[in-house]
Amino acid sequence: MKTQSLSGAWQFRQAETDEWLPATVPGGVHTDLLALGRIPDPFVGDNERRVQWVAEADWEFRRRFTVDAGLPAQSWVELVGDGLDTLATVSLNGRALGRADNMFRQYRWDVKELLHAGENELLIAFASPVRYAAEQQATRAMPGVSQAIPGGPHLRKAPCQFGWDWGPQLPPIGIWQDIRLEGGDQARLTDVHLRQSHHDGEVDVTATVSVMPDAVGGLTARLQLITPDGQSFAAETVVDDETTTLHLPVLRPQLWWPNGYGEQPLYEAIVTLQRGDIEIERRDYRLGLRTLELRQEEDEWGRSFEFVVNGVPIFAKGSNWIPADSFPTRITDEYLETLIRGAAETHQNMLRVWGGGFYEEERFYDLCDRYGILVWQDFIFSCSVYPLDDAAFLDNVHVEVEENVRRLRHRASLALWCGNNEMEWGWVDWAWPKQRELDDLKVAYDRFFHHTLPAWCAAADPDTTYWPSSPSSDTPFEAPNGQRQGDAHYWDVWHGRQPFTAYRAQYPRFMSEFGFQALPPLATIRAYAAEDDWNMTSYVMEQHQKNASGNSLMVGQMLDTFRLPQDFPSLVYLSMVLQAEGIRYGVEHWRRARDRVAGTLYWQLNDCWPVASWSSLDYFGRWKALHYAARRFYAPLLLSIEDDPPRQGVFVTNDRREPWDGRVRWSLETLAGVGLAGGEQAVQAAGQATTPVGAFDLADYVTDDNRRDLVFIAELWQGDQLQARQAAYFAPTKHLQLVEPRVTADCAGDGQSFHVTLRGRSLARLVEVTLEGADVVFSDNYFDLPAGRAVTVTGDLPAGWDGARVAAALRIRSVYDSFQQHGGN
Ligand code: BMA
């Protein structure tokens, strides 16, 4: 097959204007205008409002090109658009080729007869998605999310691009994926389906190869496997039918494991179609060999919901993934890897590709395969009513589903196909059922998500489980967000203004969403708000807070926990540690209950622009306090305290298969470090289990007079190595008698890395370390530093820095600083 890329330099103009401007493909109108300085950066200040006109207008893209020699002679020549966003009319040399109306599909048009020998001109006209949505909505209103431009559900375009409760209303327009000419032999592959079956320690890899029916004859198909250590073996067969299946046994398979459970060896699978010695077409895949099942068994609490890989039940530790940029074409490979690596580095083993974004690109799943991140893949439907009774809409979705399922089904990382986000819940608990005019659409919902879509999935990918919605009980419209069976989204903490302690009353079988907002770090706020606007409720700050009650919810919970912050930087810091503390509190509880709860995916890993949100990594990839907390609360070996003052229960949760032996040391101390009680005991923590270490009733020591000056500290030791430390209190943090901890820091740098050893004379709560002028990920951050204990954090030295520079740039903050000026004690 021959290909000629048409990506690169194009021209664009607003429809009905004369000025053609330079464009980059893949790309979009906003990023092209931004590059030309024609619009202000939509991510700064309130510029989002100033650029609304862009998506309300129509746009045209054109490219002139000469066809590569050799291409016109092929039996077929097609124009292939991997992604057109979204309402496109395509013409070549003045002749209409066709239209596109689904950004999740690939489009192909026969251009063999239309191409000229000399110069050709390709023109793609895009109609405004905003205008289209408004027109459709005027004819037939579809309920959606309140932060979005209405009407989005009429269009097969990433829902959150119309706005969300963390996302701006900036629907991109343009050629967002590769575009090219392809030509080839009359014989062509129409499908390749790679499967694996495991039995008796062997794996049978099969490739079912489909070719164009009219070209069968004189063809061979070949499947070659290259092992992770470079050995190659192959099977070949004559193609005498439309579909042919090749088999390759793998005798000593190297199994693929989720992060934390083993390695991620990947085999290369190459499928070729040949005529004699001539290779006609080749497809290249990475294969991880594993079995994966979603186990649901009746038990004392209802029905389990547990992912089992290679026979081993996995506690799913992860988060929800949203598009990494409002303008997806500027997501670099490096940035994408930073995010996925960031998940892996915090012991995450699952990401849910949430149904309000888009089916991710190959490079996303490549990274998940490599880092051992299981993917819960939603189909792209979210929080809205869709016209699922419309035959043309369904035909469009059918092609989209088939293409994307075929594209992703062989992935080791693929764990689940899920129908949609929160729509079954919507039909049961939101306002939709009260709108009688929507009744037909509930019927259509039922038909589509409980019959049609699962049938399409089963046909294209019989090996991956289909789940109707998130959340769902798998019994249509019955307790979709219940705790007996299926997955759950718990939002009473946050939207329902419940305290974090409410998490402890929840025992979902699988917690696929829960979360709490924080502001992003100050360095990120600086990118959108000038210092004059540094107040949480200023006009500009509220442009970057899309959840109408978000700031009130944050401050409300903040004042339940901390004292009123004295300035904006303190507020930013408190918002982050509040979020980290809350999510930690929930996850530790659910991990203690691992017999009943089989996973937690917090909302949300990442951001698509700089904003106040539930994310743990902000738009610039900076680690919020939650991300550091995740590295502790998702650690395979978790020490946790179930605080119920004056009782403190200590537990060790061991996700590994091997048992763990060590000791727990505990102490009751004043904040200044004077010991009141303490002890040490051996612990044998069985694999894949939670072991209660002890319930320490400290009533004899804790009085009304001293409770605000006490801390209970538990430490997990293996030999002389401290594995983990936890602290719990007997009063809310705002009431603790914190004094200035006078934290000292010894800094040293050696070539690549630096070390900072911190000590305080009194307990420093939730210590934040930062380096002024450098973005650094520390080995740990936002932790409690008890009096007199030394804690060393490390990091990579910024280029050109040494220990002295680290010492000069080091900034240390703790809760004390959020309410008290230095020197106040
Ligand atoms: C869940 C998600 C998103 C939303 C988040 C926070 O419902 O599925 O729709 O952004 O909560 O409100």
Side-chain angles (χ1 to χ4, degrees), residues 647-664:
R647 280 163 64 93
Q648 305 285 4
V650 176
F651 295 82
V652 175
T653 301
N654 180 9
D655 278 357
R656 298 211 172 94
R657 280 190 281 167
E658 309 77 41
W660 182 87
D661 280 319
R663 286 168 301 130
V664 164

Side-chain angles (χ1 to χ4, degrees), residues 422-500:
E422 293 188 349
M423 285 160 52
E424 189 179 341
W425 191 17
W427 280 115
V428 174
D429 280 336
W430 300 359
W432 310 341
K434 294 187 197 95
Q435 292 170 253
R436 307 311 318 191
E437 71 278 13
L438 296 176
D439 283 357
D440 287 353
L441 286 167
K442 183 176 179 187
V443 174
Y445 175 96
D446 187 23
R447 196 183 321 117
F448 183 72
F449 287 107
H450 300 132
H451 302 278
T452 312
L453 184 57
W456 292 348
C457 286
D461 180 13
D463 302 319
T464 307
T465 303
Y466 171 85
W467 187 250
S469 182
S470 183
S472 173
S473 66
D474 206 19
T475 305
F477 308 116
E478 265 184 45
N481 202 18
Q483 308 240 326
R484 286 186 51 76
Q485 59 194 60
D487 67 321
H489 293 188
Y490 182 69
W491 282 106
D492 284 357
V493 171
W494 187 257
H495 292 299
R497 184 57 178 97
Q498 291 296 309
F500 293 129

Side-chain angles (χ1 to χ4, degrees), residues 438-621:
L438 296 176
D439 283 357
D440 287 353
L441 286 167
K442 183 176 179 187
V443 174
Y445 175 96
D446 187 23
R447 196 183 321 117
F448 183 72
F449 287 107
H450 300 132
H451 302 278
T452 312
L453 184 57
W456 292 348
C457 286
D461 180 13
D463 302 319
T464 307
T465 303
Y466 171 85
W467 187 250
S469 182
S470 183
S472 173
S473 66
D474 206 19
T475 305
F477 308 116
E478 265 184 45
N481 202 18
Q483 308 240 326
R484 286 186 51 76
Q485 59 194 60
D487 67 321
H489 293 188
Y490 182 69
W491 282 106
D492 284 357
V493 171
W494 187 257
H495 292 299
R497 184 57 178 97
Q498 291 296 309
F500 293 129
T501 47
Y503 283 142
R504 288 221 184 127
Q506 300 300 311
Y507 291 91
R509 309 318 308 267
F510 190 100
M511 188 66 107
S512 40
E513 268 191 30
F514 63 106
F516 198 89
Q517 274 200 2
L519 294 168
L522 213 51
T524 295
I525 293 175
R526 207 179 276 283
Y528 62 83
E531 287 197 27
D532 283 353
D533 297 312
W534 282 13
N535 184 297
M536 195 188 218
T537 51
S538 72
Y539 168 71
V540 166
M541 286 299 292
E542 291 208 334
Q543 300 303 304
H544 292 250
Q545 165 59 276
K546 296 297 185 185
N547 185 181
S549 41
N551 286 337
S552 314
L553 288 168
M554 250 190 285
V555 170
Q557 206 95 285
M558 187 181 290
L559 298 189
D560 291 348
T561 312
F562 301 117
R563 298 186 208 180
L564 197 64
Q566 60 172 324
D567 55 18
F568 184 71
S570 300
L571 174 100
V572 172
Y573 155 79
L574 285 187
S575 83
M576 288 198 292
V577 293
L578 180 69
Q579 176 194 37
E581 282 286 282
I583 302 306
R584 170 187 73 79
Y585 194 85
V587 170
E588 288 178 356
H589 159 68
W590 293 310
R591 287 193 61 190
R592 281 194 293 272
R594 55 166 295 143
D595 287 349
R596 189 164 170 184
V597 181
T600 57
L601 309 178
Y602 66 81
W603 182 268
Q604 68 207 63
L605 180 72
N606 58 324
D607 278 330
C608 66
W609 77 314
V611 65
S613 85
W614 299 263
S615 72
S616 63
L617 292 173
D618 79 10
Y619 173 68
F620 297 104

Side-chain angles (χ1 to χ4, degrees), residues 166-185:
W166 38 259
Q169 299 183 339
L170 292 169
I173 296 172
I175 303 162
W176 82 294
Q177 299 282 348
D178 188 43
I179 184 160
R180 62 192 173 275
L181 294 172
E182 281 184 1
D185 190 284

